[in-house]
Amino acid sequence: MGAAETATTSDAEAAVLKVAVDCPLRSLLDYLPPAGMHAPDLPPGARVRVPMGARSAVGVVVASAAGSSLAPARLRRVTALLDSTPLFDAALLELLKWTASYYHHPPGEVFAAALPAALRIGQAAVGQETWVALTEAGRAALAQGEPARAPRQRELLTRLAAAAAGSSAGELDAALQGWRTTARALAQRGWIDISQRDEPPAAVLPATHADAPHADVAHAHARAPTAVPTPSDAQSAAVAAVDAAAGGYGCFLLQGATGSGKTEVYLRLVMRALERGAGALVLVPEIGLTPQLLERFRSRLGVPIAVLHSGLTDGERLQAWRAARAGVARVVIGTRSAVFAPVQQLGLIVVDEEHDSSYKQQEGGCRYSARDLAVRRAQQAGVPVLLGSATPALESLYNAQLGRYHRLLLPRRADQAAAPRIALVDLRAHAVHAGLAGPVTQAIERHLATDGQVLVYLNRRGYAPTLLCTSCGWIAPCSECDARLTVHRSAAQLRCHYCGAVQPLPTRCGRCGFAVRPVGQGTERIAETLAAMFPSAPLARLDRDTVHSAADVEAVMHSLLDGSARILVGTQMVTKGHHFPGVSLVAVINADQGLFSADFRAAERLAQTIVQVAGRAGRGARAGEVLIQTEYPEHPLLQSLIHEGYEGFAAGALAERAEARWPPFGRLALLRASGTNATAALEFLRQARDCAGAHPAARLLGPVPASMARRAGRHHAQLLIEHAGRGELHRFIDQWLPQVEQLPAARRVRWALDVDPLDIQ
Ligand code: ADP
Ligand code: ZN
Ligand code: ZN
């Protein structure tokens, strides 16, 4: 981002604007101010319309400078200033510049990602509305009983006379059908005045897609705050610690089991911030943004909240953004991209379930970590940031060990059930029927007989992961991926979980014509098996095939809460955000996928999943029981997890990472590439490696094909870049990437740099 570093000069000298334009260029672009304006008239953070080649584009002014490296004749002018006040304050501007530089991503794309789509294309940052008001002449006419023969005109005049300052078009739409025609006639007579004015932003936004499509201001204001639990000593201590840091940066890691009261701590801290007149930003994982959670925040805080998540329409997103920027909504709750939300007078950032992988942008665009950016934003804004989790990322635990983060522990609450008992079930030592070992079936029976509820977790949706020919061994493959097709029986389909390909479920082998058979277990099949085994226990399923909206998730949750379901079978979805107080038994059907992965993070993810899913049990009066089916009960990961808990596991896993120099002991970036044939991506990466020279300043590993090389018809490969020091890694990338970009082979592939990759398979 060389251009961005050009020193900002004093107002008098500044002649050129540095603009972030949404395009793949790695630098800011230089423009002259519009004719008759001076660079300082266009404040950093405001949008401008600029010429880009033959078209026009919207950009954000980042800085002004004395001169440009472009020849004066090539400098073009900004065509229009779109905002009279900056959209981004100084701290957010800094964050965006830092993001572009840290992730080595084109700044224009980073700025664009921080804005709602409507603002990216130049729509007004403040909404406009049509305003209708009575004129003096109109008031006089009405007083004289006019217009006597036009009842509709009279009705509108009467209505406007009753409103002190006039009415918005929206209000009139709701009250008087067809008022616009009437209004035109009245305006012609000079009795009313129709104008455009800034629309006050709607305060509260729909929680989810499934909710009502319109902001519901009155509803939120009217609701009285609900009963507030008395905080435990640990909760009070956590609140006091973070609160004491108010007014300056501090990073806190709040560690406590599910149900230990972390959300209660967030709520109290957000209230403190509001009392100080500050705003708060609360980040939650994609799947954690449940109507339940939002309702809790809304009713407790009693102030308007803007909600930002990926399920919003462009219009809803714009409304939420405007409400935050106008300071009408002082609290913003949102998923990943909300880390860039324009919260006014930011006083606190909370990141719930900070270990969650949905905070990392994994595909397309700038691959940032919203958790890491939240910490960075807090640093730049000089405010405390609180990272909460039952199973913190190893990176975060390490930062706490180093003293960079202050660790706050929440023990289980006194009125909470005891910690669940976790045991391993050896799949080799027991009879296994349809994926369920004897002891697990017996435990389910026992819990159902004693009024318990059962949660069955399996990280695989569909009926079976494989369709096999029992004669020739043929396995139904995806034609576009190196993957097997998953059997979806009720839909009578084979589906690829990598590229989405769908085909009818065959009954005969594609090669020899013999009968085929589904092999292995998916949630659909486990649910079928359990329904047959326990016909009197109603069963619910929670996975992406059965729930499509927040309302569906709610319905499943309610069926468990009100007892109309006794067994819940689900994928990863059951491990997050939901509280099931009646669940007394959790069965993990297959823990082994994470034990022998090529990805150094697989073990961490498995441990987190097991602890999170176990945390759903025994939240009511009784202690929970957790059974984990495995073929490797002696595996050290499972052993440490069972006997020493997540803490013990984390200590062991960190020691292993230190030895292997994996993060957080080394820094990684991954150059990913894909092409339409098997060699293009590898060839590009080989050239990329070569242009680093014989003795590169960072360690380059690869290139290698990705672990599933062919996906959706494209061949994927990767080159790993490693250095013990973060600064060194970035200095290397800074000088290497511009050369990589120039490689002829780069044009034949899609490629992207992933800094701090989460998934390195
Ligand atoms: P977490 O976010 O760690 O899962 P929550 O804050 O959601 O935990 O708390 C779980 C449940 O316990 C909630 O119903 C909450 O209202 C309740 N709770 C939290 N703190 C207390 C407390 N100090 N006393 C009584 N109930 C509490
Ligand atoms: Zn066959
Ligand atoms: Zn596929």
Side-chain angles (χ1 to χ4, degrees):
M1 227 179 67
E5 280 140 28
T6 315
T8 305
T9 50
S10 77
D11 288 358
E13 293 169 79
V16 170
L17 294 162
K18 303 275 175 193
V19 181
V21 182
D22 188 1
C23 70
L25 292 174
R26 278 175 196 278
S27 59
L28 299 171
L29 306 186
D30 292 354
Y31 286 95
L32 294 170
M37 284 180 96
H38 301 287
D41 300 336
L42 295 92
R47 289 171 307 155
V48 285
R49 195 170 282 286
V50 294
M52 257 290 272
R55 63 185 181 101
S56 100
V58 173
V60 176
V61 177
V62 176
S64 49
S68 168
S69 54
L70 279 182
R74 293 190 56 203
L75 273 176
R76 303 174 75 180
R77 283 193 186 278
V78 165
T79 38
L81 173 64
L82 297 177
D83 303 304
S84 50
T85 51
L87 297 195
F88 300 110
D89 60 20
L92 254 182
L93 270 180
E94 275 311 308
L95 180 72
L96 291 166
K97 285 199 281 187
W98 188 86
T99 303
S101 121
Y102 183 80
Y103 291 100
H104 302 272
H105 198 81
E109 292 186 1
V110 172
F111 276 73
L115 286 173
L119 297 184
R120 261 179 252 158
I121 57 170
Q123 283 188 23
V126 178
Q128 297 289 306
E129 65 183 359
T130 302
W131 192 255
V132 186
L134 211 58
T135 60
E136 273 317 309
R139 200 171 295 282
L142 185 67
Q144 284 157 19
E146 285 198 73
R149 306 248 175 86
R152 292 177 71 94
Q153 293 188 7
R154 212 177 149 73
E155 190 185 2
L156 182 54
L157 285 183
T158 311
R159 205 184 157 77
L160 291 173
S167 268
S168 71
E171 287 160 358
L172 293 175
D173 281 342
L176 291 176
Q177 250 200 359
W179 65 271
R180 284 167 202 269
T181 324
T182 320
R184 265 194 298 277
L186 289 172
Q188 266 166 18
R189 303 178 77 164
W191 289 351
I192 65 169
D193 190 35
I194 304 177
S195 58
Q196 293 295 310
R197 61 167 220 176
D198 285 358
E199 174 190 46
V204 177
L205 293 128
T208 62
H209 227 27
D211 276 15
H214 294 295
D216 192 351
V217 183
H219 164 84
H221 284 304
R223 184 168 298 139
T226 45
V228 177
T230 311
S232 66
D233 290 350
Q235 283 171 323
S236 299
V239 171
V242 181
D243 207 38
Y249 166 74
C251 184
F252 298 84
L253 181 62
L254 180 66
Q255 192 178 350
T258 308
S260 60
K262 294 184 296 297
T263 308
E264 196 54 42
V265 171
Y266 308 154
L267 281 165
R268 284 177 179 272
L269 285 168
V270 172
M271 280 188 295
R272 296 289 182 101
L274 291 172
E275 284 160 18
R276 284 194 301 272
L281 173 61
V282 179
L283 296 181
V284 293
E286 196 58 62
I287 207 169
L289 192 53
T290 58
Q292 201 188 27
L293 178 93
L294 282 174
E295 185 44 41
R296 198 162 153 201
F297 269 83
R298 281 180 175 165
S299 60
R300 276 289 285 285
L301 298 180
V303 300
I305 295 173
V307 181
L308 286 163
H309 61 87
S310 60
L312 298 177
T313 63
D314 285 352
E316 289 166 340
R317 187 183 307 277
L318 179 64
Q319 268 191 74
W321 189 94
R322 283 173 171 165
R325 174 159 181 268
V328 171
R330 287 151 74 208
V331 178
V332 172
I333 303 185
T335 52
R336 186 172 60 230
S337 67
V339 73
F340 299 117
V343 180
Q344 299 299 295
Q345 276 98 44
L346 183 65
L348 172 75
I349 304 180
V350 172
V351 183
D352 186 29
E353 306 290 358
E354 62 89 32
H355 66 281
D356 196 279
S357 59
S358 74
Y359 285 125
K360 171 88 175 164
Q361 169 101 24
Q362 307 262 28
E363 252 145 57
C366 178
R367 297 171 187 233
Y368 62 90
S369 154
R371 191 254 333 264
D372 295 350
L373 285 182
V375 174
R376 183 71 204 170
R377 185 169 179 182
Q379 262 169 4
Q380 282 167 336
V383 302
V385 54
L386 179 63
L387 311 178
S389 178
T391 53
L394 294 184
E395 275 88 346
S396 300
L397 285 174
Y398 183 62
N399 277 322
Q401 277 174 22
L402 293 181
R404 287 187 198 143
Y405 296 177
H406 310 276
R407 198 161 173 208
L408 304 167
L409 293 176
L410 284 190
R412 301 184 82 79
R413 298 193 337 270
D415 60 340
Q416 203 182 356
R421 292 184 307 276
I422 306 185
L424 300 175
V425 176
D426 187 346
L427 282 168
R428 298 161 311 182
H430 298 281
V432 178
H433 168 68
L436 298 165
V440 170
T441 317
Q442 287 147 25
I444 295 175
E445 197 168 357
R446 185 156 30 83
H447 281 262
L448 289 177
T450 52
D451 272 347
Q453 285 178 321
V454 178
L455 176 56
V456 178
Y457 165 75
L458 173 60
N459 196 20
R460 200 184 264 152
R461 65 197 168 84
Y463 189 80
T466 304
L467 186 68
L468 175 79
C469 169
T470 46
S471 168
C472 74
W474 174 82
I475 286 172
C478 176
S479 59
E480 300 300 304
C481 309
D482 294 335
R484 296 171 175 189
L485 292 171
T486 300
V487 179
H488 286 254
R489 196 155 114 166
S490 63
Q493 283 176 340
L494 284 173
R495 292 185 197 159
C496 176
H497 287 188
Y498 298 90
C499 72
V502 171
Q503 47 180 274
L505 184 62
T507 52
R508 305 259 142 216
C509 170
R511 197 158 65 191
C512 75
F514 202 79
V516 286
R517 186 160 66 82
V519 177
Q521 309 297 327
T523 45
E524 184 186 352
R525 191 177 208 174
I526 289 282
E528 182 188 277
T529 304
L530 289 171
M533 276 181 178
F534 306 103
S536 59
L539 179 145
R541 211 170 106 203
L542 189 63
D543 58 37
R544 276 202 285 126
D545 297 320
T546 52
V547 301
H548 304 283
S549 68
D552 293 349
V553 177
E554 283 285 272
V556 170
M557 286 182 47
H558 272 121
S559 71
L560 228 71
L561 292 176
D562 69 17
S564 59
R566 303 282 311 283
I567 303 176
L568 176 66
V569 177
T571 57
Q572 210 72 19
M573 286 183 100
V574 303
T575 69
K576 295 174 187 175
H578 313 299
H579 294 168
F580 303 123
V583 168
S584 53
L585 171 68
V586 170
V588 177
I589 297 302
N590 184 356
D592 295 344
Q593 285 164 323
L595 291 179
F596 303 101
S597 168
D599 191 333
F600 72 93
R601 279 186 220 273
E604 177 184 357
R605 273 195 293 264
L606 174 64
Q608 288 165 342
T609 301
I610 289 178
V611 173
Q612 294 279 348
V613 76
R616 311 291 130 178
R619 292 175 47 104
R622 59 203 279 193
E625 185 176 358
V626 179
L627 296 176
I628 302 170
Q629 297 193 152
T630 173
E631 291 194 28
Y632 308 93
E634 64 294 327
H635 194 286
L637 158 60
L638 292 176
Q639 285 298 324
S640 69
L641 200 54
I642 302 255
H643 296 296
E644 302 155 63
Y646 188 74
E647 283 305 270
F649 155 76
L654 271 172
E656 272 179 23
R657 292 227 191 142
E659 207 164 300
R661 298 212 327 212
W662 288 122
F665 303 94
R667 303 292 169 184
L668 300 180
L670 197 62
L671 186 61
R672 303 175 188 272
S674 71
T676 48
N677 63 53
T679 56
L682 282 168
E683 179 51 30
F684 160 69
L685 293 172
R686 235 173 260 130
Q687 290 183 17
R689 192 196 161 115
D690 288 347
C691 71
H695 304 285
R699 206 150 68 103
L700 299 182
L701 300 164
V704 292
S707 74
M708 180 170 295
R710 201 169 52 101
R711 292 198 297 273
R714 297 186 69 84
H715 297 258
H716 295 253
Q718 60 194 38
L719 177 67
L720 193 63
I721 307 126
E722 189 241 36
H723 202 291
R726 178 168 270 168
E728 290 88 339
L729 180 75
H730 286 274
R731 272 192 291 283
F732 167 74
I733 295 173
D734 274 333
Q735 58 89 16
W736 174 64
L737 206 58
Q739 302 174 54
V740 172
E741 224 167 6
Q742 297 305 317
L743 291 171
R747 283 192 295 266
R748 289 190 286 274
V749 297
R750 285 185 204 150
W751 64 272
L753 185 76
D754 189 347
V755 174
D756 301 333
L758 262 199
D759 192 347
I760 65 151
Q761 283 202 66

